[in-house]
Short mmCIF file of all heavy atoms in Angstrom, two decimals:
data_model
loop_
_atom_site.label_atom_id
_atom_site.label_comp_id
_atom_site.label_asym_id
_atom_site.label_seq_id
_atom_site.Cartn_x
_atom_site.Cartn_y
_atom_site.Cartn_z
N LEU J 134 173.72 38.03 24.58
CA LEU J 134 173.68 38.90 23.41
C LEU J 134 172.39 39.63 23.30
O LEU J 134 172.31 40.79 22.95
CB LEU J 134 173.99 38.04 22.13
CG LEU J 134 173.93 38.79 20.72
CD1 LEU J 134 175.02 39.83 20.64
CD2 LEU J 134 174.20 37.77 19.63
N LEU J 135 171.30 38.89 23.54
CA LEU J 135 169.97 39.50 23.45
C LEU J 135 169.80 40.52 24.43
O LEU J 135 169.21 41.71 24.30
CB LEU J 135 168.88 38.38 23.64
CG LEU J 135 168.52 37.50 22.54
CD1 LEU J 135 167.44 36.59 22.98
CD2 LEU J 135 168.13 38.30 21.31
N SER J 136 170.38 40.33 25.69
CA SER J 136 170.33 41.33 26.75
C SER J 136 171.03 42.62 26.35
O SER J 136 170.60 43.72 26.70
CB SER J 136 170.90 40.72 28.00
OG SER J 136 170.14 39.57 28.42
N LEU J 137 172.22 42.41 25.82
CA LEU J 137 173.02 43.64 25.44
C LEU J 137 172.36 44.41 24.38
O LEU J 137 172.36 45.57 24.29
CB LEU J 137 174.39 43.09 24.91
CG LEU J 137 175.32 42.53 26.03
CD1 LEU J 137 176.62 42.03 25.30
CD2 LEU J 137 175.60 43.53 27.07
N LEU J 138 171.61 43.61 23.44
CA LEU J 138 170.85 44.30 22.35
C LEU J 138 169.76 45.14 22.99
O LEU J 138 169.54 46.20 22.55
CB LEU J 138 170.31 43.23 21.48
CG LEU J 138 169.65 43.58 20.13
CD1 LEU J 138 170.75 44.15 19.26
CD2 LEU J 138 168.68 42.47 19.57
N SER J 139 169.05 44.59 24.01
CA SER J 139 167.94 45.39 24.57
C SER J 139 168.43 46.60 25.34
O SER J 139 167.70 47.57 25.46
CB SER J 139 167.16 44.47 25.47
OG SER J 139 167.95 44.14 26.57
N ILE J 140 169.76 46.61 25.90
CA ILE J 140 170.15 47.61 26.66
C ILE J 140 170.83 48.83 25.89
O ILE J 140 170.55 49.90 26.03
CB ILE J 140 171.23 47.14 27.68
CG1 ILE J 140 170.61 46.18 28.70
CG2 ILE J 140 171.88 48.32 28.47
CD1 ILE J 140 171.59 45.51 29.55
N PHE J 141 171.58 48.29 24.83
CA PHE J 141 172.34 49.30 24.12
C PHE J 141 171.88 49.64 22.69
O PHE J 141 172.40 50.63 22.16
CB PHE J 141 173.83 48.80 24.03
CG PHE J 141 174.52 48.70 25.27
CD1 PHE J 141 174.84 47.36 25.87
CD2 PHE J 141 174.86 49.74 26.04
CE1 PHE J 141 175.45 47.21 27.02
CE2 PHE J 141 175.58 49.64 27.32
CZ PHE J 141 175.81 48.38 27.79
N LEU J 142 170.97 48.89 22.10
CA LEU J 142 170.51 49.22 20.72
C LEU J 142 169.76 50.55 20.90
O LEU J 142 168.89 50.77 21.78
CB LEU J 142 169.63 48.14 20.40
CG LEU J 142 169.36 48.22 18.79
CD1 LEU J 142 170.55 47.90 17.89
CD2 LEU J 142 168.16 47.19 18.39
N PRO J 143 170.12 51.44 19.93
CA PRO J 143 169.42 52.72 19.89
C PRO J 143 167.92 52.65 19.84
O PRO J 143 167.29 51.62 19.14
CB PRO J 143 169.84 53.44 18.65
CG PRO J 143 171.33 52.82 18.42
CD PRO J 143 171.06 51.40 18.84
N LYS J 144 167.14 53.53 20.45
CA LYS J 144 165.75 53.39 20.51
C LYS J 144 164.99 53.78 19.23
O LYS J 144 163.85 53.43 18.97
CB LYS J 144 165.24 54.25 21.61
CG LYS J 144 165.61 53.77 23.05
CD LYS J 144 165.28 54.74 24.10
CE LYS J 144 165.87 54.30 25.41
NZ LYS J 144 165.76 55.29 26.55
N LEU J 146 164.43 52.87 16.16
CA LEU J 146 164.62 51.64 15.35
C LEU J 146 163.78 51.75 14.09
O LEU J 146 162.64 52.42 14.08
CB LEU J 146 164.20 50.28 16.14
CG LEU J 146 165.05 49.98 17.40
CD1 LEU J 146 164.38 48.85 18.05
CD2 LEU J 146 166.39 49.67 16.97
N VAL J 148 163.50 49.13 11.65
CA VAL J 148 163.07 47.74 11.15
C VAL J 148 161.98 47.22 12.14
O VAL J 148 162.28 46.99 13.36
CB VAL J 148 164.18 46.78 11.13
CG1 VAL J 148 163.69 45.46 10.54
CG2 VAL J 148 165.35 47.37 10.31
N PRO J 149 160.75 47.22 11.62
CA PRO J 149 159.64 46.76 12.66
C PRO J 149 159.84 45.53 13.31
O PRO J 149 159.62 45.44 14.56
CB PRO J 149 158.40 46.75 11.71
CG PRO J 149 158.77 47.66 10.58
CD PRO J 149 160.15 47.62 10.38
N PRO J 150 160.28 44.45 12.78
CA PRO J 150 160.47 43.14 13.48
C PRO J 150 161.52 43.26 14.63
O PRO J 150 161.33 42.78 15.71
CB PRO J 150 160.97 42.14 12.47
CG PRO J 150 160.46 42.60 11.13
CD PRO J 150 160.54 44.10 11.32
N LEU J 151 162.60 44.03 14.37
CA LEU J 151 163.73 44.20 15.40
C LEU J 151 163.10 45.15 16.47
O LEU J 151 163.36 44.89 17.64
CB LEU J 151 164.88 44.79 14.71
CG LEU J 151 166.14 44.96 15.73
CD1 LEU J 151 166.49 43.73 16.20
CD2 LEU J 151 167.24 45.73 14.89
N ALA J 152 162.33 46.10 16.15
CA ALA J 152 161.78 47.00 17.18
C ALA J 152 160.77 46.30 18.00
O ALA J 152 160.70 46.50 19.23
CB ALA J 152 161.01 48.26 16.45
N TYR J 153 160.01 45.38 17.42
CA TYR J 153 159.12 44.56 18.25
C TYR J 153 159.76 43.66 19.18
O TYR J 153 159.45 43.52 20.39
CB TYR J 153 158.21 43.83 17.26
CG TYR J 153 157.14 42.92 17.97
CD1 TYR J 153 155.91 43.45 18.42
CD2 TYR J 153 157.35 41.56 18.21
CE1 TYR J 153 154.99 42.69 19.15
CE2 TYR J 153 156.41 40.77 18.80
CZ TYR J 153 155.20 41.34 19.35
OH TYR J 153 154.33 40.57 19.98
N LEU J 154 160.81 43.00 18.64
CA LEU J 154 161.60 42.04 19.51
C LEU J 154 162.20 42.87 20.67
O LEU J 154 162.20 42.33 21.89
CB LEU J 154 162.77 41.37 18.68
CG LEU J 154 163.75 40.66 19.48
CD1 LEU J 154 163.19 39.50 20.16
CD2 LEU J 154 164.96 40.17 18.58
N VAL J 155 162.82 43.94 20.43
CA VAL J 155 163.61 44.68 21.46
C VAL J 155 162.61 45.43 22.47
O VAL J 155 162.69 45.17 23.58
CB VAL J 155 164.59 45.71 20.80
CG1 VAL J 155 165.31 46.53 21.96
CG2 VAL J 155 165.71 44.88 20.11
N ASN J 156 161.73 46.28 21.83
CA ASN J 156 160.85 47.09 22.66
C ASN J 156 159.80 46.34 23.41
O ASN J 156 159.47 46.54 24.54
CB ASN J 156 160.29 48.16 21.88
CG ASN J 156 161.31 49.12 21.37
OD1 ASN J 156 162.36 49.34 21.90
ND2 ASN J 156 161.08 49.77 20.21
N ARG J 157 159.17 45.38 22.75
CA ARG J 157 157.94 44.72 23.20
C ARG J 157 158.32 43.43 24.04
O ARG J 157 157.64 43.08 25.01
CB ARG J 157 157.01 44.37 22.08
CG ARG J 157 156.48 45.44 21.15
CD ARG J 157 155.61 46.40 22.08
NE ARG J 157 155.25 47.61 21.26
CZ ARG J 157 154.33 48.50 21.79
NH1 ARG J 157 153.86 48.39 22.94
NH2 ARG J 157 154.07 49.58 21.07
N LEU J 158 159.28 42.70 23.49
CA LEU J 158 159.56 41.37 24.06
C LEU J 158 160.76 41.26 25.09
O LEU J 158 160.58 40.68 26.15
CB LEU J 158 159.77 40.31 23.09
CG LEU J 158 158.81 40.12 21.94
CD1 LEU J 158 159.03 39.07 21.02
CD2 LEU J 158 157.46 39.88 22.68
N LEU J 159 161.83 41.99 24.83
CA LEU J 159 163.03 41.96 25.66
C LEU J 159 162.87 43.04 26.72
O LEU J 159 163.05 42.82 27.91
CB LEU J 159 164.25 42.26 24.78
CG LEU J 159 164.58 41.18 23.85
CD1 LEU J 159 165.87 41.49 22.93
CD2 LEU J 159 164.76 39.75 24.43
N ARG J 160 162.80 44.37 26.37
CA ARG J 160 162.84 45.45 27.35
C ARG J 160 161.66 45.31 28.24
O ARG J 160 161.81 45.66 29.52
CB ARG J 160 162.80 46.77 26.62
CG ARG J 160 164.13 47.16 26.11
CD ARG J 160 164.14 48.47 25.36
NE ARG J 160 165.48 48.78 24.82
CZ ARG J 160 165.67 49.57 23.76
NH1 ARG J 160 164.64 50.04 23.13
NH2 ARG J 160 166.87 49.78 23.33
N ARG J 161 160.56 44.82 27.85
CA ARG J 161 159.34 44.66 28.82
C ARG J 161 159.40 43.49 29.61
O ARG J 161 158.41 43.25 30.41
CB ARG J 161 158.12 44.81 27.99
CG ARG J 161 157.84 46.15 27.33
CD ARG J 161 156.46 46.26 26.70
NE ARG J 161 156.27 47.58 26.14
CZ ARG J 161 155.15 47.95 25.63
NH1 ARG J 161 153.99 47.17 25.65
NH2 ARG J 161 155.01 49.17 25.16
N GLY J 162 160.27 42.55 29.27
CA GLY J 162 160.46 41.26 30.05
C GLY J 162 159.40 40.21 29.71
O GLY J 162 159.30 39.25 30.46
N VAL J 163 158.73 40.41 28.52
CA VAL J 163 157.73 39.31 28.12
C VAL J 163 158.50 38.03 27.85
O VAL J 163 158.03 36.91 28.26
CB VAL J 163 156.94 39.80 26.99
CG1 VAL J 163 155.90 38.77 26.50
CG2 VAL J 163 156.24 41.14 27.31
N LEU J 164 159.47 38.05 27.20
CA LEU J 164 160.31 36.83 26.81
C LEU J 164 160.82 36.13 28.01
O LEU J 164 160.70 34.92 28.17
CB LEU J 164 161.49 37.06 25.83
CG LEU J 164 162.30 35.93 25.35
CD1 LEU J 164 161.36 34.77 24.62
CD2 LEU J 164 163.34 36.40 24.48
N HIS J 206 166.28 43.38 31.72
CA HIS J 206 164.94 44.14 31.72
C HIS J 206 164.97 45.14 32.98
O HIS J 206 164.49 46.28 32.82
CB HIS J 206 163.81 43.09 32.01
CG HIS J 206 162.52 43.67 32.49
ND1 HIS J 206 161.72 44.46 31.72
CD2 HIS J 206 161.95 43.59 33.73
CE1 HIS J 206 160.73 44.83 32.49
NE2 HIS J 206 160.72 44.25 33.64
N ALA J 209 167.13 48.14 31.98
CA ALA J 209 166.36 49.00 31.04
C ALA J 209 165.48 49.85 31.61
O ALA J 209 165.37 51.12 31.43
CB ALA J 209 165.74 48.20 29.90
N TYR J 210 164.65 49.25 32.66
CA TYR J 210 163.59 50.03 33.35
C TYR J 210 164.18 50.70 34.61
O TYR J 210 163.66 51.70 35.19
CB TYR J 210 162.37 49.31 33.58
CG TYR J 210 161.47 49.11 32.48
CD1 TYR J 210 161.77 48.12 31.43
CD2 TYR J 210 160.41 49.95 32.36
CE1 TYR J 210 160.86 48.01 30.36
CE2 TYR J 210 159.49 49.89 31.14
CZ TYR J 210 159.75 48.93 30.25
OH TYR J 210 159.02 48.81 29.10
N ASN J 428 160.89 54.86 23.89
CA ASN J 428 161.15 53.55 23.12
C ASN J 428 161.30 53.84 21.69
O ASN J 428 161.43 52.82 20.96
CB ASN J 428 159.89 52.54 23.35
CG ASN J 428 160.16 51.83 24.70
OD1 ASN J 428 161.35 51.58 25.10
ND2 ASN J 428 158.99 51.41 25.23
N ASP J 453 155.64 53.09 26.10
CA ASP J 453 154.72 52.29 26.91
C ASP J 453 153.55 53.13 27.28
O ASP J 453 153.60 54.25 27.83
CB ASP J 453 155.48 51.69 28.16
CG ASP J 453 156.56 50.83 27.75
OD1 ASP J 453 156.47 50.19 26.65
OD2 ASP J 453 157.46 50.75 28.62
#
Side-chain angles (χ1 to χ4, degrees):
L134 180 62
L135 285 181
S136 299
L137 294 175
L138 191 70
S139 68
I140 295 171
F141 296 108
L142 193 70
K144 296 170 184 174
L146 300 174
V148 183
L151 185 59
Y153 181 79
L154 170 65
V155 175
N156 295 331
R157 302 289 178 180
L158 304 185
L159 295 178
R160 285 180 178 150
R161 294 189 180 186
V163 178
L164 181 57
H206 162 71
Y210 279 84
N428 278 334
D453 297 333

